[in-house]
Amino acid sequence: MTEASEAGQVEAIYISAEHGELPRAVESVRAIAGKGLEGNRYFDEGKPEKELTLIEAEALEALQAEHGIELDGASSRRNVLTRGVRLNDLVGERFRVGELECRGIELCEPCLHLQSMTKPGIVDGLVHRAGLNAEILVGGELRPGDLVGPIE
């Protein structure tokens, strides 16, 4: 793991039990390797790219600054809001989120479905910075404040 000064941090965690419902913030969640986050809509669907989704707080701030679109972490429909780590750099890499070991699978590009649930302009405003889809390789408890960064 990188040193604390170089690592990012989990700002918030969101899950939703049902497809289409706005995710709710949780104080902690159990992550199960090969399955996802307990209580989340994609849990145990057999799709590694849906086990954990992350987005940078900085991307949401840039969306507001550059496009005038305000989008909070829950409305981004991602599980983990991070700060201080470039998620795009973790595609194809192993990384830690607190106790978890994960593998970045692909960028989580914005889609028209997300835009239909939020605001016009989301697709253009978040292209190439809408987050990361990741597989959970080693599970554990996930909490706000956990460090996020590559495994050295």
Side-chain angles (χ1 to χ4, degrees):
M1 176 81 167
T2 58
E3 292 180 28
S5 62
E6 297 174 359
Q9 187 169 23
V10 173
E11 284 204 346
I13 303 164
Y14 305 97
I15 63 171
S16 62
E18 300 295 326
H19 292 273
E21 97 181 358
L22 186 66
R24 63 183 170 82
V26 296
E27 287 302 311
S28 69
V29 67
R30 183 132 185 86
I32 309 295
K35 295 190 179 205
L37 302 181
E38 285 185 341
N40 194 51
R41 66 192 180 279
Y42 293 114
F43 185 76
D44 204 16
E45 283 195 353
K47 297 178 180 174
E49 70 277 8
K50 301 278 186 176
E51 291 175 10
L52 186 68
T53 58
L54 306 96
I55 191 165
E56 298 171 21
E58 294 89 345
L60 300 180
E61 291 163 356
L63 180 66
Q64 168 73 39
E66 297 167 12
H67 299 274
I69 300 172
E70 189 172 338
L71 189 71
D72 64 21
S75 297
S76 75
R77 309 283 190 195
R78 307 298 182 251
N79 300 125
V80 177
L81 181 66
T82 66
R83 181 171 298 279
V85 61
R86 290 204 26 87
L87 296 174
N88 288 16
D89 294 345
L90 299 178
V91 173
E93 301 294 326
R94 287 177 65 108
F95 65 97
R96 288 195 188 281
V97 182
E99 298 176 358
L100 314 184
E101 286 188 26
C102 302
R103 181 176 64 89
I105 294 181
E106 62 192 4
L107 293 182
C108 190
E109 293 292 1
C111 62
L112 293 176
H113 181 63
L114 174 64
Q115 184 165 282
S116 74
M117 293 185 296
T118 55
K119 300 176 182 178
I122 292 291
V123 171
D124 290 338
L126 287 178
V127 70
H128 303 318
R129 59 181 180 189
L132 175 68
N133 291 338
E135 174 183 21
I136 301 169
L137 303 173
V138 176
E141 199 70 21
L142 181 60
R143 297 173 190 85
D146 283 348
L147 296 181
V148 181
I151 295 174
E152 305 268 330

